[in-house]
Amino acid sequence: DAGITQSPRYKITETGRQVTLMCHQTWSHSYMFWYRQDLGHGLRLIYYSAAADITDKGEVPDGYVVSRSKTENFPLTLESATRSQTSVYFCASSEHGSGANVLTFGAGSRLTVL
Amino acid sequence: QKEVEQDPGPLSVPEGAIVSLNCTYSNSAFQYFMWYRQYSRKGPELLMYTYSSGNKEDGRFTAQVDKSSKYISLFIRDSQPSDSATYLCAMKQSGNTPLVFGKGTRLSVIA
C-alpha cells in the first residue's frame, strides 16, 4: 500500500522496557520526522532525518533513539520507557526540507507506559 | 513565550456559521504558513499553505497572513459538521528548517 504506515498502532508497556515504534513510507521521500502529541503541548518534534544515515535532534529528543539505514524506514526507540513518554507518536515524511516542506503524517502510534 | 501561540479552544459553532481560527507568532523569519486539520484519532493532514503575506482561498476555506502583525487566520465559511476537527497552524523559515506547530484549536460544528 502506498503511503506512510506506523506500527504498532497501540502499545502498552511497563516502565524500564525498551519499545520500538516503526515507520515506513513508500514515496522515497528524503525527509522523515517523529513527533509526539500531548494535551496542552500540541505536536513536538523529537527527531528528524534528511536522508539515510543523517539524523538530527528536534525539540524533545531526550530518552529517544532513531536510526535510518534505509530511506523508507525510520524507527523510533525508547530505550528505557518512562511514564512521561506516554503519548501519541506521529511519523511524517516530506519530499524536501526547504521551501514549503509539506508533511504527510501517518495515523499515529498510541503508547501507554505503566 | 512559545514561537507560535494558538488558542486551544474548544470552539463550538452552529452549522452554517463563519469560523475564524487564529495564530500569532514571534519569529519574523517565518516565511511559510500552513494549516493542518486533524480528525479524532487520525494524523494531521495539510489543508492549506501560504507563502509570505496575503490571502489564499480554496472553496469554503480562506487563509490570511499578516506578517506585519505576526498573525495568521483561517476562515471557514458555511461550516459543516464534517469540519469538526482540531486545526493546527504551522510555520517555518526558508531553508532546511523544521515546521513549528501551534497547539491546535478544537472545533465542533453542531447540526
Side-chain angles (χ1 to χ4, degrees):
Chain A
D1 290 337
I4 184 165
T5 55
Q6 293 184 233
S7 61
R9 291 292 315 279
Y10 301 91
K11 175 76 176 177
I12 299 174
T13 191
E14 294 177 338
T15 302
R17 299 229 180 208
Q18 184 179 80
V19 176
T20 296
L21 306 179
M22 304 300 293
C23 180
H24 175 79
Q25 52 106 352
T26 59
W27 297 299
S28 299
H29 283 171
S30 296
Y31 282 77
M32 296 187 75
F33 305 82
W34 275 106
Y35 288 87
R36 59 178 290 175
Q37 189 173 39
D38 306 284
L39 270 175
H41 291 282
L43 277 168
R44 291 183 290 174
L45 182 63
I46 305 170
Y47 270 97
Y48 66 103
S49 168
D53 298 322
I54 300 175
T55 61
D56 271 303
K57 295 178 180 180
E59 183 185 353
V60 289
D62 293 343
Y64 303 94
V65 174
V66 293
S67 62
R68 194 155 176 221
S69 57
K70 291 185 178 181
T71 300
E72 61 266 30
N73 296 325
F74 191 38
L76 175 74
T77 298
L78 290 66
E79 292 193 308
S80 179
T82 65
R83 289 196 184 90
S84 65
Q85 293 176 310
T86 292
S87 186
V88 182
Y89 291 86
F90 287 100
C91 179
S93 71
S94 68
E95 192 174 1
H96 307 292
S98 60
N101 178 218
V102 173
L103 300 186
T104 303
F105 284 84
S109 293
R110 187 173 292 268
L111 176 67
T112 301
V113 183
L114 302 177
Chain B
Q1 182 193 12
K2 285 212 69 167
E3 275 192 300
V4 180
E5 299 280 0
Q6 183 176 11
D7 187 336
L11 182 61
S12 185
V13 301
E15 183 176 357
I18 297 174
V19 176
S20 172
L21 304 168
N22 311 294
C23 290
T24 59
Y25 63 94
S26 57
N27 188 345
S28 57
F30 285 144
Q31 295 285 341
Y32 297 90
F33 303 91
M34 298 165 200
W35 287 94
Y36 281 80
R37 179 175 60 194
Q38 184 177 20
Y39 290 114
S40 181
R41 297 191 175 258
K42 303 283 188 186
E45 55 180 354
L46 180 70
L47 193 58
M48 298 184 73
Y49 96 84
T50 311
Y51 172 69
S52 196
S53 281
N55 294 358
K56 188 171 186 178
E57 189 172 319
D58 183 2
R60 297 184 294 109
F61 298 88
T62 300
Q64 287 186 352
V65 174
D66 181 350
K67 291 189 73 180
S68 62
S69 301
K70 298 190 180 71
Y71 188 87
I72 71 170
S73 300
L74 177 71
F75 297 96
I76 307 174
R77 290 184 300 281
D78 188 25
S79 56
Q80 303 295 308
S82 59
D83 296 327
S84 298
T86 296
Y87 291 81
L88 301 108
C89 63
M91 45 199 82
K92 73 181 294 286
Q93 305 176 48
S94 54
N96 289 329
T97 57
L99 270 177
V100 180
F101 282 87
K103 291 181 181 181
T105 301
R106 195 169 65 163
L107 171 68
S108 294
V109 181
I110 311 300

